[in-house]
Amino acid sequence: MAQTSWKNFFLSVFDYKTEKYVIAKNKKVGVLFRVFQLAVLLYIIGWVFLKKKGYQERDDSIQSAVITKLKGVALTNTTDSGLHLWGAEDYVIPPQGERIFFIITNFIETPNQRLGHCAESIKVPDGHCRENDDCTEGEAVISGNGIKSGRCLNSTGTCEIYGWCPIEKQHKPQEAILRKAENFTVYIKNFMRFPKFQFSKSNVLETNNDMYLKKCLYNETHHPYCPIFRLGDLTSWAGHSFQDMALMGGSIGVLIQWNCDLDKDYSKCNPRYSFTRLDVKSDNSVASGYNFRYARYYKDATGQTYRTLFKVYGIRIDIMVTGEAGKFNIIPTIVNIGSGLALMGAGVFLCDMVLLYMMKKSTFYRESKFESAKYESIRWKGKRRELKAVSEDGTPRRQDTWQGKFIELAPTKSEVNS
Amino acid sequence: MAQTSWKNFFLSVFDYKTEKYVIAKNKKVGVLFRVFQLAVLLYIIGWVFLKKKGYQERDDSIQSAVITKLKGVALTNTTDSGLHLWGAEDYVIPPQGERIFFIITNFIETPNQRLGHCAESIKVPDGHCRENDDCTEGEAVISGNGIKSGRCLNSTGTCEIYGWCPIEKQHKPQEAILRKAENFTVYIKNFMRFPKFQFSKSNVLETNNDMYLKKCLYNETHHPYCPIFRLGDLTSWAGHSFQDMALMGGSIGVLIQWNCDLDKDYSKCNPRYSFTRLDVKSDNSVASGYNFRYARYYKDATGQTYRTLFKVYGIRIDIMVTGEAGKFNIIPTIVNIGSGLALMGAGVFLCDMVLLYMMKKSTFYRESKFESAKYESIRWKGKRRELKAVSEDGTPRRQDTWQGKFIELAPTKSEVNS
Amino acid sequence: MAQTSWKNFFLSVFDYKTEKYVIAKNKKVGVLFRVFQLAVLLYIIGWVFLKKKGYQERDDSIQSAVITKLKGVALTNTTDSGLHLWGAEDYVIPPQGERIFFIITNFIETPNQRLGHCAESIKVPDGHCRENDDCTEGEAVISGNGIKSGRCLNSTGTCEIYGWCPIEKQHKPQEAILRKAENFTVYIKNFMRFPKFQFSKSNVLETNNDMYLKKCLYNETHHPYCPIFRLGDLTSWAGHSFQDMALMGGSIGVLIQWNCDLDKDYSKCNPRYSFTRLDVKSDNSVASGYNFRYARYYKDATGQTYRTLFKVYGIRIDIMVTGEAGKFNIIPTIVNIGSGLALMGAGVFLCDMVLLYMMKKSTFYRESKFESAKYESIRWKGKRRELKAVSEDGTPRRQDTWQGKFIELAPTKSEVNS
């Protein structure tokens, strides 16, 4: 016996239980629901699958290495240092080909500075003085060039300082000395890797023609895979004039985007370049430029140190690499379909609300949808087959609804089962 | 005819089919389910929408450029190099205003080193020797300063080496020479951009008052939008004393967080700064500090190279920018509501389990919920209307349940349809 | 009265409404559904919970700081500069212990360059000339070393240029001069932090034995927590020979991965290192190497500037830190269970389709599942109890299905309620 019941139980486990539906012959709600279904379907197919490629596993933790190299020489002629030839080893800082680098386009040179006493610049407010008491000895001049010695110099009206003398000439540059930097070229090598898919690629065109990379110049339409950029082009693509930027300096962002669909061919995975100026304010006015100082130190025959100070203005290039790769995978496909279908639940909820509470015949639909299963002893009166079903609020329902007449009604299953 | 049936089919497509529910008049499970619904609702509204802003599309791939500039001078007086004035061009490495930079706070200078032979330091274990055989010629001293020449020097008990002589004095610094660096200021310019929303902003207060940026100093309460930081403040906000760090060096992380709700006004999107010391161990003890060496090369009148070696200790500042922006979008709103509703499914499952298997009257509820639809020929005996429905386990059900009496039962739909 | 009805309404709110199911005694679909349920269950438990740890809140915005330090000296002997000792202050660029650094393994030195006129290299195509007209005065030589002076030199067949003379010898190096760099060691300090969990750790083994870090060398099996790496090992783990890379230079990526399960012990959160060569093309052929130039400037007794130009080849090390931490949290646990269950919906949909449209008895199942609730006046003919129910297509249903005989049928609820 136990065996039989176990067998029955086992068999019943493999009965398929499906939800019972009530067909509400209400076209309004029906159309509403179909429209909702269609919207969900369109959303799943159009947005999730076609646009967002929801059938793909994604990897956005791109690993990337950038190496840069600049080419070009320029001759400058200044009163301080005469004719001078600038090569990449001079105008690129740092020289080792970093992802972020700075190209000198303008400079103020202050040669042969030695430690000693001299007058603070008239342009430094904190250095102004009338008498010696204004120049407390040993105090640093705020935003100045040295330490006050305690003396006020009448000739300039500023404190005497101990520092590197002569001090830098404080004037705004009127013209970019290295304006020919416009024609320098940057060679950007970018190796990237998507670790999840073991996929790696470089932005350098794979060609057998070695000369191509020596001569080509990036151009979005004609040479999209040539990673050599003219400086003047970089700035103009970012929407600014090179000569304007060269004067006071600025910052250009070069964004390399790798958006790769690895279900497609290897050759379809290519970088896209975009260029923005980074040091602009929201109102598109340009911030005050980009400059810094560095010094070259020398020793004379007696071992005394002297130096040449450079205040350099220039263009800082910041190469940013982002990317995302996708490849077909069954798990996200299932998950996306599943959660899309889950959205239908919202539609069912909505349509049910409309049907059950906002239609004229809502009461009828409510009673069709909801079947009472209150466990109660049934009042069945012998052979006369007088039956009083009990409505949800406890009053005899069928009699009530059937206009006061007694009619023969079959007991509902719940009544029979009681 | 075919037209009619197609029309019927077409019309039936727009019938709304809604699930039939059985009302189980069981207050325990009912309350349980309402509590669950309430929890899900609170979760969706409170957590997903209010806290996580689930109605927004998010962009966390912030693009950022950081430019830094230090200001301040300090005078040092050492026996090796006498009075020396340090400006930003000297104490910031690298000088070009990078995101990660190092400020010299202490140093050991070894001037006038020339290539030649001298004794290895007594502090290098591998340099110790008793006789010449201990100093294999041409072998590098491990963690030492040069290449063994093959001779053991009795005066020091160490090998003679070929290297830059005199070798650096190996002593731990007792005092930070550039301790006045505490008052240096860092100006941090941070331009950031959320590419998805085409939104960009800078951390520099947009003000018409040019003098503000020349005088202000960051202070969380009084000047939260002034991007100029005193070095001493940076370390104290990170929980450490500047003078302690200055001695042996250390590393400070400055985290700039942009958490922007782009549904709000442009002016509400502001950075938040936080400061941590990066080189601390888990038990909050400090790692051994931060130092490195660099050399300045000179040539004398005869063309011989000599150099000054600096071992510098200092504070490394690492500026990290993170951020996330959100903006209202219908897609994530729908998805979040949908997946919140999907959670209700879990509640239905749970409550059904309780109702169908853990209540006293579970058998009754099970029979109410599940309606058999076994396809079987109906045993209907002509006019006498003797009907035997078949229960789930194959025995005549209605007769069985109805206490042995034959009663008139309407055939159920499944019987009728057979 | 109103009070009573409100009370009734209030009580009915806490009635539990459960979906009515039809048991389709169809083993095929039943087994299909159970298999689907099992698959979803396995997916939730196996993939979501065990493999992806779906019960954890995740933080992948790791904050990290890397400090590096190189050790080792090497002696070189070249015709240009004689015996020279290289220490870390010379061969590491930049010297301050950055995340990305370059180690010189080979170099071409051009000492004592002065600004002046000399012949362009024969290797620069743009410098070739036959007569003076080929050398336009003031024009830069493309990829050359200076500015054309306007004269064509017959001795070399190239233009005379103004630049740093003598120009660099243009030859490919045959042997790595600093080949002993193979034994240099890199000490990588990596401090990381998971901001969401306030968890921070360093890759340096926390040990009381100070000597351990002075002597150990990283080895995946024997010393996995020693952060000191031999350069030769780095390249060989990346699959390349150090001596090959040393000649022309190259780029090595060191990936530090922190995948931490913070539900486990602190000591279980450890970095994993991996090594790849970054400058290889897809066909595994190596790109042309890695080199750059820098110059050291000197002044002679008369104040004239001269310089030593170095073209350095070497290995660029790029240390990348990634990581993800997870910690138990109730929210993602619920969300993952919920969306897993939502997947069941897809199974229900699939099985319903099979049952209702692909089985032999689909019509029967369809009628069992769907109950009509068309609101229509019932044609009940007085006491004679002649009842015609209306089937879905509007024809009298019961009579129709019941083989033409009139039988007494109890009105269905929908008929009664009308």
Side-chain angles (χ1 to χ4, degrees):
Chain A
M1 288 300 271
Q3 222 174 5
T4 316
S5 84
W6 271 109
K7 197 185 154 197
N8 282 337
F9 171 77
F10 182 77
L11 284 173
S12 78
V13 162
F14 291 106
D15 286 340
Y16 179 60
K17 291 167 198 76
T18 185
E19 285 149 12
K20 190 170 178 103
Y21 276 78
V22 174
I23 302 175
K25 299 219 165 229
N26 185 310
K27 298 286 181 249
K28 281 180 209 155
V29 181
V31 167
L32 182 70
F33 186 63
R34 290 294 171 196
V35 166
F36 191 90
Q37 276 187 321
L38 197 72
V40 170
L41 213 70
L42 283 179
Y43 160 73
I44 293 178
I45 293 173
W47 181 262
V48 177
F49 278 82
L50 295 186
K51 183 132 173 68
K52 293 282 175 187
K53 301 216 170 107
Y55 55 87
Q56 291 188 329
E57 195 186 0
R58 306 204 76 75
D59 184 0
D60 58 359
S61 63
I62 190 172
Q63 288 167 13
S64 125
V66 172
I67 296 171
T68 55
K69 194 160 198 170
L70 273 107
K71 279 215 170 141
V73 291
L75 197 67
T76 63
N77 196 350
T78 57
T79 46
D80 282 319
S81 48
L83 270 182
H84 198 278
L85 187 88
W86 292 77
E89 64 277 13
D90 302 312
Y91 62 70
V92 182
I93 296 173
Q96 67 263 27
E98 292 285 356
R99 185 178 71 79
I100 299 174
F101 58 92
F102 175 86
I103 297 152
I104 300 173
T105 56
N106 204 0
F107 62 93
I108 298 171
E109 189 179 348
T110 315
N112 300 318
Q113 284 190 322
R114 281 169 193 266
L115 279 170
H117 291 90
C118 52
E120 179 56 277
S121 164
I122 191 82
K123 301 229 173 140
V124 178
D126 190 50
H128 294 190
C129 65
R130 293 230 177 93
E131 48 192 58
N132 289 354
D133 287 357
D134 294 341
C135 304
T136 320
E137 194 184 338
E139 200 176 67
V141 183
I142 296 166
S143 303
N145 297 291
I147 306 290
K148 293 173 186 170
S149 69
R151 290 211 303 156
C152 183
L153 299 177
N154 292 325
S155 54
T156 56
T158 56
C159 296
E160 190 193 57
I161 54 163
Y162 178 81
W164 292 94
C165 295
I167 58 168
E168 191 183 84
K169 281 167 248 157
Q170 302 225 340
H171 63 84
K172 283 213 169 185
Q174 299 304 317
E175 202 187 23
I177 303 174
L178 266 152
R179 58 188 164 278
K180 285 189 180 157
E182 190 163 3
N183 292 317
F184 293 169
T185 57
V186 202
Y187 175 27
I188 301 175
K189 258 190 206 171
N190 174 219
F191 298 95
M192 69 89 194
R193 192 164 164 266
F194 289 111
K196 204 185 265 175
F197 304 123
Q198 305 271 328
F199 180 93
S200 62
K201 205 173 174 179
S202 149
N203 71 331
V204 181
L205 189 70
E206 277 152 46
T207 169
N208 297 320
N209 181 0
D210 278 352
M211 290 309 290
Y212 180 71
L213 284 180
K214 293 206 171 165
K215 286 182 175 172
C216 75
L217 209 56
Y218 174 82
N219 182 299
E220 205 176 346
T221 42
H222 299 104
H223 295 286
Y225 306 132
C226 170
I228 298 172
F229 302 83
R230 205 177 137 265
L231 274 193
D233 289 347
L234 284 188
T235 52
S236 69
W237 289 325
H240 291 262
S241 140
F242 182 85
Q243 294 304 334
D244 287 355
M245 287 188 76
L247 185 65
M248 298 297 291
S251 188
I252 295 279
V254 176
L255 187 66
I256 307 182
Q257 273 176 299
W258 293 88
N259 291 320
C260 290
D261 183 344
L262 301 187
D263 293 330
K264 291 187 186 158
D265 193 61
Y266 176 84
S267 65
K268 300 282 180 197
C269 174
N270 287 310
R272 219 156 45 82
Y273 302 91
S274 53
F275 311 90
T276 40
R277 179 151 188 191
L278 295 174
D279 59 341
V280 284
K281 290 187 188 172
S282 60
D283 52 348
N284 228 29
S285 77
V286 169
S288 57
Y290 187 45
N291 62 69
F292 62 89
R293 289 181 183 83
Y294 70 91
R296 279 191 193 141
Y297 286 83
Y298 306 102
K299 282 197 178 179
D300 62 18
T302 63
Q304 289 300 308
T305 301
Y306 64 103
R307 71 176 193 182
T308 300
L309 181 69
F310 291 91
K311 180 176 186 179
V312 290
Y313 299 83
I315 292 168
R316 182 183 134 117
I317 310 260
D318 191 336
I319 297 161
M320 293 172 274
V321 181
T322 61
E324 207 183 9
K327 202 171 191 175
F328 174 77
N329 189 305
I330 190 70
I331 300 280
T333 311
I334 290 176
V335 169
N336 275 309
I337 293 179
S339 57
L341 289 179
L343 271 185
M344 299 250 184
V348 167
F349 181 76
L350 186 79
C351 292
D352 272 9
M353 286 299 109
V354 171
L355 186 77
L356 300 182
Y357 299 104
M358 293 165 66
M359 289 285 124
K360 245 191 284 179
K361 292 151 192 173
S362 286
T363 319
F364 164 70
Y365 288 125
R366 265 210 301 287
E367 282 178 7
S368 304
K369 184 176 170 74
F370 297 110
E371 180 183 305
S372 183
K374 194 177 178 183
Y375 187 85
E376 223 172 307
S377 67
I378 296 218
R379 278 160 279 170
W380 174 273
K381 298 186 174 165
K383 283 190 163 179
R384 291 283 307 158
R385 285 165 285 167
E386 285 165 18
L387 178 71
K388 283 186 187 172
V390 174
S391 76
E392 283 174 87
D393 54 359
T395 59
R397 188 181 46 177
R398 292 186 194 180
Q399 186 181 7
D400 190 85
T401 40
W402 198 242
Q403 301 162 333
K405 286 184 207 142
F406 274 91
I407 52 158
E408 283 178 33
L409 289 174
T412 62
K413 192 170 59 182
S414 65
E415 289 157 2
V416 169
N417 288 342
S418 66
Chain B
M1 290 298 271
Q3 221 174 7
T4 317
S5 85
W6 270 109
K7 197 184 153 198
N8 282 335
F9 170 77
F10 182 76
L11 284 174
S12 79
V13 161
F14 292 106
D15 286 340
Y16 179 60
K17 290 168 198 76
T18 184
E19 285 150 12
K20 190 173 178 98
Y21 276 79
V22 174
I23 302 174
K25 298 221 166 228
N26 186 310
K27 298 285 180 250
K28 281 180 210 156
V29 181
V31 168
L32 182 70
F33 185 63
R34 290 294 171 194
V35 166
F36 192 89
Q37 277 186 320
L38 197 72
V40 169
L41 214 70
L42 283 179
Y43 161 74
I44 294 177
I45 293 173
W47 182 260
V48 176
F49 279 80
L50 295 186
K51 183 131 172 66
K52 293 282 176 188
K53 299 212 170 109
Y55 54 89
Q56 292 188 329
E57 195 187 0
R58 305 206 76 75
D59 183 0
D60 58 358
S61 64
I62 189 172
Q63 288 168 12
S64 124
V66 173
I67 297 172
T68 54
K69 193 160 200 171
L70 273 108
K71 279 215 169 140
V73 290
L75 196 68
T76 62
N77 196 351
T78 56
T79 45
D80 281 319
S81 47
L83 271 182
H84 198 277
L85 186 88
W86 293 77
E89 63 276 13
D90 302 312
Y91 63 70
V92 183
I93 296 172
Q96 68 263 27
E98 292 284 356
R99 185 179 71 78
I100 300 175
F101 58 92
F102 175 86
I103 297 153
I104 300 174
T105 55
N106 203 1
F107 63 95
I108 298 170
E109 189 179 350
T110 315
N112 300 319
Q113 285 189 323
R114 281 168 193 268
L115 280 169
H117 290 89
C118 52
E120 178 56 279
S121 164
I122 191 80
K123 299 230 174 137
V124 179
D126 190 52
H128 294 191
C129 65
R130 293 231 177 91
E131 50 192 56
N132 289 352
D133 288 358
D134 294 342
C135 304
T136 321
E137 196 184 336
E139 199 175 66
V141 182
I142 296 168
S143 304
N145 298 291
I147 306 290
K148 292 172 186 169
S149 68
R151 288 213 302 157
C152 181
L153 298 177
N154 291 327
S155 54
T156 56
T158 57
C159 295
E160 192 193 57
I161 55 163
Y162 179 80
W164 291 94
C165 295
I167 58 167
E168 189 184 86
K169 282 168 247 158
Q170 302 226 338
H171 62 84
K172 284 214 167 182
Q174 298 305 316
E175 203 187 21
I177 302 173
L178 266 151
R179 58 189 163 278
K180 284 188 180 158
E182 189 163 3
N183 291 318
F184 293 170
T185 56
V186 202
Y187 176 26
I188 301 174
K189 258 191 206 170
N190 173 218
F191 298 95
M192 69 88 194
R193 191 165 164 267
F194 289 110
K196 203 183 268 174
F197 303 123
Q198 304 271 331
F199 180 94
S200 62
K201 204 172 175 180
S202 149
N203 71 332
V204 181
L205 187 70
E206 278 152 45
T207 170
N208 297 320
N209 182 0
D210 278 352
M211 290 309 291
Y212 180 71
L213 284 179
K214 293 206 171 166
K215 286 185 176 170
C216 75
L217 208 57
Y218 174 81
N219 181 300
E220 206 177 346
T221 42
H222 299 103
H223 296 285
Y225 306 133
C226 170
I228 299 173
F229 301 84
R230 206 177 136 263
L231 273 193
D233 289 346
L234 284 188
T235 52
S236 70
W237 289 325
H240 290 263
S241 140
F242 182 85
Q243 293 304 335
D244 287 355
M245 287 190 76
L247 185 65
M248 298 298 290
S251 187
I252 295 279
V254 176
L255 186 68
I256 305 182
Q257 273 175 298
W258 294 89
N259 291 321
C260 290
D261 183 345
L262 302 187
D263 293 331
K264 292 188 187 158
D265 192 61
Y266 177 83
S267 66
K268 300 280 180 198
C269 175
N270 286 309
R272 219 156 47 81
Y273 301 92
S274 52
F275 311 91
T276 40
R277 180 153 188 186
L278 295 173
D279 59 340
V280 284
K281 290 186 187 171
S282 60
D283 52 348
N284 228 29
S285 77
V286 169
S288 56
Y290 187 46
N291 63 70
F292 63 89
R293 289 181 184 82
Y294 71 91
R296 279 189 192 141
Y297 286 83
Y298 306 102
K299 282 198 179 179
D300 61 19
T302 63
Q304 289 300 307
T305 301
Y306 63 104
R307 72 176 193 183
T308 299
L309 180 69
F310 291 90
K311 180 176 185 179
V312 291
Y313 299 82
I315 293 168
R316 182 183 135 116
I317 309 260
D318 190 336
I319 298 161
M320 295 173 272
V321 181
T322 61
E324 207 183 8
K327 202 172 191 173
F328 174 76
N329 190 305
I330 189 71
I331 300 281
T333 311
I334 290 175
V335 168
N336 274 310
I337 292 178
S339 58
L341 290 179
L343 271 184
M344 298 252 185
V348 167
F349 181 76
L350 185 81
C351 292
D352 272 8
M353 285 300 109
V354 171
L355 185 77
L356 300 182
Y357 297 104
M358 291 166 66
M359 289 283 124
K360 245 191 283 178
K361 292 152 192 173
S362 286
T363 319
F364 165 69
Y365 288 125
R366 265 209 300 285
E367 283 178 9
S368 305
K369 185 177 170 74
F370 297 110
E371 179 183 305
S372 184
K374 195 176 180 184
Y375 186 84
E376 222 170 312
S377 68
I378 296 220
R379 279 158 280 170
W380 173 275
K381 299 185 174 163
K383 284 191 160 178
R384 291 282 311 158
R385 285 166 285 165
E386 286 165 18
L387 176 73
K388 282 186 187 174
V390 174
S391 75
E392 282 175 84
D393 54 359
T395 59
R397 189 181 45 176
R398 291 188 193 178
Q399 185 183 9
D400 189 85
T401 40
W402 200 242
Q403 299 164 331
K405 286 180 206 146
F406 273 92
I407 51 160
E408 284 177 33
L409 289 174
T412 63
K413 192 170 54 177
S414 63
E415 289 157 3
V416 170
N417 288 343
S418 65
Chain C
M1 287 300 271
Q3 221 175 6
T4 315
S5 85
W6 271 109
K7 197 184 153 197
N8 282 337
F9 170 76
F10 182 77
L11 285 174
S12 79
V13 162
F14 291 107
D15 286 340
Y16 180 61
K17 292 169 196 74
T18 185
E19 284 150 12
K20 190 170 179 103
Y21 275 79
V22 175
I23 302 175
K25 299 219 167 230
N26 185 310
K27 298 286 181 251
K28 281 179 210 155
V29 182
V31 167
L32 182 70
F33 185 64
R34 290 294 171 193
V35 166
F36 191 89
Q37 276 187 319
L38 198 72
V40 170
L41 213 70
L42 283 180
Y43 160 73
I44 294 178
I45 293 174
W47 181 262
V48 177
F49 279 80
L50 295 187
K51 184 131 172 62
K52 293 284 176 188
K53 300 215 170 107
Y55 55 87
Q56 292 188 330
E57 195 186 359
R58 306 206 74 75
D59 183 0
D60 58 359
S61 64
I62 189 172
Q63 289 168 10
S64 124
V66 172
I67 297 171
T68 54
K69 194 159 200 171
L70 273 108
K71 278 213 170 143
V73 290
L75 197 67
T76 63
N77 196 349
T78 56
T79 46
D80 282 319
S81 46
L83 270 182
H84 197 279
L85 187 88
W86 292 77
E89 62 276 14
D90 302 313
Y91 62 71
V92 182
I93 296 172
Q96 66 263 29
E98 291 285 356
R99 186 178 71 79
I100 300 174
F101 57 93
F102 174 86
I103 297 154
I104 300 173
T105 56
N106 204 1
F107 64 94
I108 297 170
E109 189 179 348
T110 315
N112 300 318
Q113 284 190 324
R114 280 169 194 267
L115 280 170
H117 290 90
C118 53
E120 179 56 278
S121 164
I122 192 80
K123 300 229 173 140
V124 178
D126 190 52
H128 293 192
C129 65
R130 291 229 179 91
E131 49 191 55
N132 287 354
D133 287 356
D134 294 341
C135 304
T136 320
E137 196 184 336
E139 199 176 67
V141 183
I142 295 168
S143 304
N145 298 290
I147 306 290
K148 294 172 186 170
S149 68
R151 290 213 301 157
C152 183
L153 299 176
N154 292 325
S155 54
T156 56
T158 56
C159 296
E160 191 194 56
I161 55 164
Y162 178 81
W164 291 94
C165 295
I167 59 167
E168 190 183 83
K169 282 167 248 158
Q170 303 224 339
H171 63 84
K172 283 213 168 182
Q174 300 305 316
E175 201 187 23
I177 303 174
L178 266 152
R179 58 188 164 278
K180 284 189 180 157
E182 189 164 2
N183 292 318
F184 294 169
T185 55
V186 201
Y187 175 27
I188 301 174
K189 258 191 206 172
N190 173 217
F191 298 95
M192 69 89 194
R193 192 163 164 266
F194 289 110
K196 203 184 270 174
F197 303 124
Q198 305 270 328
F199 179 93
S200 63
K201 205 173 173 179
S202 149
N203 72 331
V204 180
L205 187 70
E206 278 152 45
T207 170
N208 297 320
N209 182 359
D210 277 352
M211 290 310 289
Y212 180 71
L213 284 179
K214 294 208 168 164
K215 287 183 174 171
C216 75
L217 210 56
Y218 174 81
N219 182 300
E220 205 177 344
T221 41
H222 298 104
H223 296 287
Y225 304 132
C226 170
I228 299 173
F229 302 84
R230 207 177 135 264
L231 273 192
D233 290 346
L234 285 188
T235 53
S236 69
W237 289 324
H240 290 263
S241 140
F242 182 86
Q243 294 304 334
D244 287 357
M245 287 189 75
L247 186 64
M248 298 298 290
S251 188
I252 295 279
V254 176
L255 186 67
I256 306 182
Q257 274 176 298
W258 294 88
N259 291 320
C260 290
D261 184 345
L262 301 187
D263 293 330
K264 292 187 186 159
D265 193 62
Y266 177 84
S267 65
K268 301 281 181 197
C269 174
N270 286 308
R272 219 156 46 82
Y273 302 91
S274 53
F275 311 90
T276 41
R277 181 152 186 187
L278 295 174
D279 59 341
V280 285
K281 290 186 187 171
S282 61
D283 53 347
N284 229 28
S285 78
V286 170
S288 56
Y290 187 46
N291 63 69
F292 63 89
R293 288 182 184 82
Y294 70 91
R296 278 189 194 144
Y297 286 84
Y298 306 103
K299 282 198 178 179
D300 62 18
T302 65
Q304 289 300 306
T305 301
Y306 63 104
R307 71 175 193 183
T308 299
L309 180 69
F310 291 89
K311 179 175 186 180
V312 291
Y313 299 82
I315 293 167
R316 182 183 134 116
I317 310 259
D318 191 335
I319 297 160
M320 294 173 272
V321 181
T322 61
E324 206 183 10
K327 202 172 190 174
F328 173 77
N329 189 304
I330 191 69
I331 301 282
T333 311
I334 290 175
V335 169
N336 275 310
I337 292 179
S339 58
L341 290 179
L343 271 184
M344 298 251 184
V348 167
F349 181 76
L350 185 81
C351 291
D352 272 8
M353 285 300 108
V354 171
L355 185 76
L356 300 183
Y357 297 104
M358 292 165 65
M359 290 283 124
K360 245 190 286 179
K361 293 151 192 173
S362 286
T363 319
F364 165 69
Y365 289 124
R366 265 208 301 288
E367 285 179 4
S368 305
K369 186 177 169 75
F370 298 109
E371 181 182 305
S372 184
K374 194 177 181 183
Y375 186 85
E376 223 170 309
S377 68
I378 296 218
R379 279 159 279 170
W380 173 275
K381 299 189 175 160
K383 283 190 161 180
R384 292 284 306 159
R385 285 166 285 168
E386 286 165 18
L387 177 71
K388 282 185 188 174
V390 174
S391 76
E392 283 174 84
D393 55 359
T395 59
R397 188 180 49 176
R398 292 187 193 177
Q399 186 181 6
D400 189 85
T401 41
W402 199 241
Q403 301 161 332
K405 286 183 206 142
F406 275 92
I407 52 159
E408 283 177 34
L409 290 174
T412 63
K413 192 170 54 178
S414 64
E415 290 157 2
V416 171
N417 288 342
S418 65

